[in-house]
Amino acid sequence: EYAFYHCINLKDVKLSSALTTINTRAFNDCIALPEIEIPDSVVKISYGAFDGCTALADVKLSRNLVQLDGRAFSGCDALTSITIPKKVATSYKADISDYGYTGGRGAFNGNANLKSVTFEEGSTVIAGNLLANCPGIETIVIPDSVTEIGEYAFYHCINLKDVKLSSALTTINTQAFNDCSSLLAITVPDSVTSMGSAVFANCTSLADVTLPNTRQIIMSRTFESCSSLEKIVLPETVTRIQENAFENCTALKEIVWSKALTTIDANAFLNCDALVEVSIPATVTSMGNHVFRDCDALTTVVIPDSVTSVNAWAFHGCTGLTELSLPTNLTRIERGICSGCKSLTELVIPPGVTSIGMRAFEGCSSLKHITLPATVRSIEPEAFADCTELVHIYMQNGVQEIGEDAFRGCM
């Protein structure tokens, strides 16, 4: 480690043909070094090995290189192109805490002039974290031999606009393209059977998405904060949308639902401000907490009778909501389900409901009439608090408990 650290006049290096490892920061800050050829005997280049070699413009990597660690060639400002050998499968993610994101630093971290990256034919894996935070890369072509893209592989490549994925690709791991804020479109091939969480999160320019017809689960945070995405077509194979999958997709206007969908998890469409109408497919049985919370433009929601549970705060803060059709199979109105829905004027509580949860309709300031079915036994605290226009409540003799401030602020 640090063997030739800060040898600022070192210009010529010939490495031994028996060398297997270049250790941590071995040539760090050798600012006069213009080129390096790594012999084929080398299988590992450790963290920061050539970090800060600002004149390094020509790098030939070992054909047998297996591990290329974080910041290995960071700060190599003269480097414009690199070929990644096909055996590279690991890129250790170091310095996680001081950089401020989970992915650590890529092998070419911050190299703004590195614009051309070629993967050797026969490559099967793009190592996790390998090209994280490479702001110069604009186009990536994944060879058809590649079957897996590692976690954080292209994390924070903020100028990456065009990606062509391998037709043999089966796995895209967690946050592989997270924060690629210039990425415009992506087609995930049908060969992909496994995708991690947040794969395309924070791709704020992403407007065109094609998902594989083999997909069964939209993983958590997959498209979180993809603020240019206006339409999503869910493949017919999708059965579940996990938590936060489309959170903060503020331009999303149209959802083409899968006919196999059964579950929409918590926060799935939280803060999707452009959604106006939602009609949940009749295959869905469960909707999680906060599922459409703070969708400000949402006016109409139809929930089919197949749904047996709509969880807490599902439509909280949907200030434009005027019409909500609840399923007849509900037995409980969960807490905060429509709190702050100030445009909601009327609502039918399904027969069979036995309890109205805490703050369920708090702040529904346009709600004027409410009829409770004979099955209702309890109205929990603040259930209808601050429904300032509420003038008529019809409840039958079955109500046994009314919580504190259940009707506070009602006229």
Side-chain angles (χ1 to χ4, degrees), residues 356 370-379 383-384 390 392-403 406-407:
I356 311 292
I370 193 79
T371 299
L372 303 180
T375 51
V376 172
R377 297 290 178 265
S378 67
I379 302 172
F384 295 94
L390 189 60
H392 182 265
I393 305 165
Y394 179 74
M395 66 178 75
Q396 301 186 43
N397 292 333
V399 176
Q400 299 170 358
E401 180 183 359
I402 298 178
F407 296 97

Side-chain angles (χ1 to χ4, degrees), residues 52-293:
C53 294
T54 53
L56 191 60
D58 187 4
V59 173
K60 184 180 180 182
L61 296 173
S62 160
R63 288 181 297 175
N64 293 306
L65 189 65
V66 174
Q67 183 167 335
L68 181 59
D69 283 345
R71 293 192 65 94
F73 293 94
S74 180
C76 296
D77 296 339
L79 191 63
T80 60
S81 65
I82 193 74
T83 296
I84 306 295
K86 65 182 179 181
K87 293 184 180 180
V88 174
T90 305
S91 184
Y92 177 68
K93 50 186 182 186
D95 276 0
I96 292 173
S97 59
D98 69 280
Y99 194 64
Y101 65 83
T102 311
R105 300 181 175 186
F108 304 92
N109 179 72
N111 288 2
N113 294 317
L114 179 62
K115 297 186 181 297
S116 175
V117 176
T118 303
F119 297 97
E120 184 183 0
E121 285 299 324
S123 298
T124 59
V125 175
I126 307 300
N129 202 60
L130 180 64
L131 294 165
N133 194 32
C134 286
I137 299 175
E138 295 184 2
T139 300
I140 285 290
V141 177
I142 309 294
D144 284 340
S145 54
V146 170
T147 60
E148 180 177 358
I149 299 174
E151 61 178 20
Y152 303 95
F154 300 97
Y155 185 101
H156 198 62
C157 289
I158 58 173
N159 289 306
L160 181 61
K161 296 177 182 178
D162 186 31
V163 174
K164 185 181 184 299
L165 297 176
S166 159
S167 60
L169 190 65
T170 62
T171 303
I172 307 175
N173 284 302
T174 298
Q175 304 203 43
F177 295 93
N178 190 347
D179 212 20
C180 293
S181 54
S182 296
L183 186 63
L184 299 172
I186 195 73
T187 296
V188 182
D190 288 345
S191 57
V192 173
T193 56
S194 177
M195 290 176 66
S197 62
V199 168
F200 300 106
N202 301 300
C203 292
T204 53
S205 298
L206 187 61
D208 186 2
V209 171
T210 302
L211 292 171
N213 288 322
T214 52
R215 198 82 220 115
Q216 292 184 319
I217 298 175
I218 306 299
M219 299 296 287
S220 63
R221 300 183 57 215
T222 296
F223 298 104
E224 179 187 10
S225 297
C226 291
S227 52
S228 295
L229 188 63
E230 295 187 6
K231 179 180 179 179
I232 189 70
V233 177
L234 300 175
E236 293 295 339
T237 50
V238 170
T239 61
R240 182 173 187 175
I241 301 172
Q242 286 193 343
E243 61 272 10
N244 308 90
F246 296 93
E247 178 183 353
N248 291 327
C249 289
T250 52
L252 186 62
K253 297 177 182 178
E254 184 179 357
I255 305 165
V256 180
W257 301 98
S258 162
K259 293 177 183 177
L261 187 66
T262 61
T263 305
I264 307 174
D265 285 334
N267 304 309
F269 295 95
L270 173 67
N271 199 35
C272 289
D273 287 341
L275 276 178
V276 176
E277 296 184 359
V278 169
S279 183
I280 305 296
T283 51
V284 173
T285 59
S286 177
M287 295 169 61
N289 297 341
H290 308 274
V291 64
F292 290 98
R293 178 171 178 160

